[in-house]
Amino acid sequence: MGTAVRNKGKCMCKYVPDYVVFDLETTGVYCEQDAIIEISAIKVSGGKRIEEYSTLVNPNRPIPARATAVNGITDEMVEDAPGIREAIGGFMEFIGSSILVGHNIHTFDMNFAYDAAWLALGRELRNDYVDTLYMARRCLPRLSHHKLTDVSEYFHISTAGAHRALNDCLMNMECYEELGKLWKCQEEKAAVEGKGEKKEEFDLECPRCGGMLFLRKGKFGKFYGCGNFPSCRYTRKA
Ligand SMILES: [Zn+2]
């Protein structure tokens, strides 16, 4: 099973004031075999919380002990929860066309949500999104780890209740607002230093599609390639 090519939106690396921050809890790390057991999202406008969407999801299978050990979600808790069809439908309704924000969503949550929407509803999750993991790596290069709890601790944001979806959304919303301030400073600094290589090295926005560029290793050395490959094939020498 699984989705061979996901027609996802653009992965971006920047601050936007209006967005929906979201997080999923799952039975494991593999999209193809694991299931979503909690979906939470917070709509934010101008740095303020507007609305929340949060639901447990009944995965119609036992939750592995190793998943419960991480997020504390048990079989009993999801017994009367809606199935994925209703839960992801509500999520799609809630997010509309908003830009999505989340931590490590480029390789994890976006894929789970995309596949769930596609398999349960036949709908594509096309929203553009910002992965705060990449923003944190760029804004806080000296931090040795960039898990959501690491970034939160750096900013003195409470990590109480981590690994439940709504708590992680709140934590990440605060992180994103802080990262946004750093991001703006770095952009301004880069603009002043400007001119030529330094600016280009900082600017990881794909000039063709506005997506995010990733450093990759190829046959002929390192290069920057658009994260929206294969729909965008832009590359640049590193
Ligand atoms: Zn591109």
Side-chain angles (χ1 to χ4, degrees):
M1 204 172 56
T3 317
V5 177
R6 297 185 183 94
N7 191 22
K8 291 194 288 185
K10 281 199 294 269
C11 177
M12 305 183 297
C13 197
K14 65 175 178 184
Y15 177 77
V16 293
D18 300 334
Y19 56 93
V20 171
V21 57
F22 84 106
D23 187 63
L24 308 175
E25 299 304 328
T26 62
T27 59
V29 295
Y30 301 107
C31 269
E32 287 75 18
Q33 62 190 59
D34 288 310
I36 295 171
I37 51 177
E38 188 173 44
I39 304 177
S40 295
I42 299 174
K43 200 169 284 175
V44 182
S45 181
K48 300 233 159 28
R49 290 157 69 178
I50 303 295
E51 213 185 333
E52 282 174 13
Y53 175 80
S54 190
T55 182
L56 286 165
V57 184
N58 187 339
N60 288 314
R61 71 180 86 171
I63 299 173
R66 63 177 180 280
T68 303
V70 173
N71 50 45
I73 301 172
T74 64
D75 292 329
E76 292 70 39
M77 288 164 69
V78 298
E79 213 171 56
D80 300 321
I84 189 62
R85 195 185 154 83
E86 187 184 334
I88 200 75
F91 174 74
M92 295 290 275
E93 201 71 36
F94 180 79
I95 62 174
S97 59
S98 300
I99 291 176
L100 302 176
V101 171
H103 203 75
N104 193 26
I105 57 174
H106 178 58
T107 55
F108 191 80
D109 307 65
M110 281 303 293
N111 292 346
F112 265 96
Y114 186 97
D115 290 1
W118 179 247
L119 293 172
L121 308 168
R123 287 177 62 186
E124 287 183 319
L125 178 60
R126 297 279 297 129
N127 300 50
D128 290 344
Y129 58 99
V130 175
D131 192 325
T132 49
L133 173 62
Y134 300 108
M135 264 185 97
R137 282 184 185 154
R138 305 222 62 214
C139 291
L140 308 170
R142 272 178 265 172
L143 210 62
S144 51
H145 300 286
H146 295 88
K147 293 198 304 278
L148 182 55
T149 46
D150 300 319
V151 179
S152 297
E153 276 162 21
Y154 176 85
F155 290 124
H156 304 288
I157 293 164
S158 165
T159 57
H163 303 302
R164 280 301 298 272
L166 192 60
N167 297 333
D168 283 359
C169 286
L170 252 178
M171 227 183 282
N172 201 24
M173 172 196 156
E174 293 184 51
C175 286
Y176 184 54
E177 293 293 328
E178 292 298 327
L179 288 169
K181 291 176 205 162
L182 291 179
W183 190 254
K184 224 177 139 196
C185 290
Q186 287 195 1
E187 267 181 341
E188 280 162 9
K189 210 171 137 222
V192 171
E193 287 168 2
K195 303 169 188 97
E197 288 163 32
K198 206 155 203 174
K199 170 78 180 93
E200 201 177 54
E201 194 187 310
F202 175 81
D203 186 10
L204 291 187
E205 188 169 320
C206 173
R208 207 168 289 165
C209 75
M212 189 187 153
L213 300 178
F214 290 84
L215 191 61
R216 298 217 164 94
K217 258 187 207 149
K219 252 185 287 183
F220 306 108
K222 286 183 180 171
F223 67 96
Y224 286 106
C226 183
N228 298 314
F229 183 87
S231 62
C232 174
R233 293 174 177 272
Y234 175 83
T235 59
R236 182 180 84 206
K237 274 183 200 159

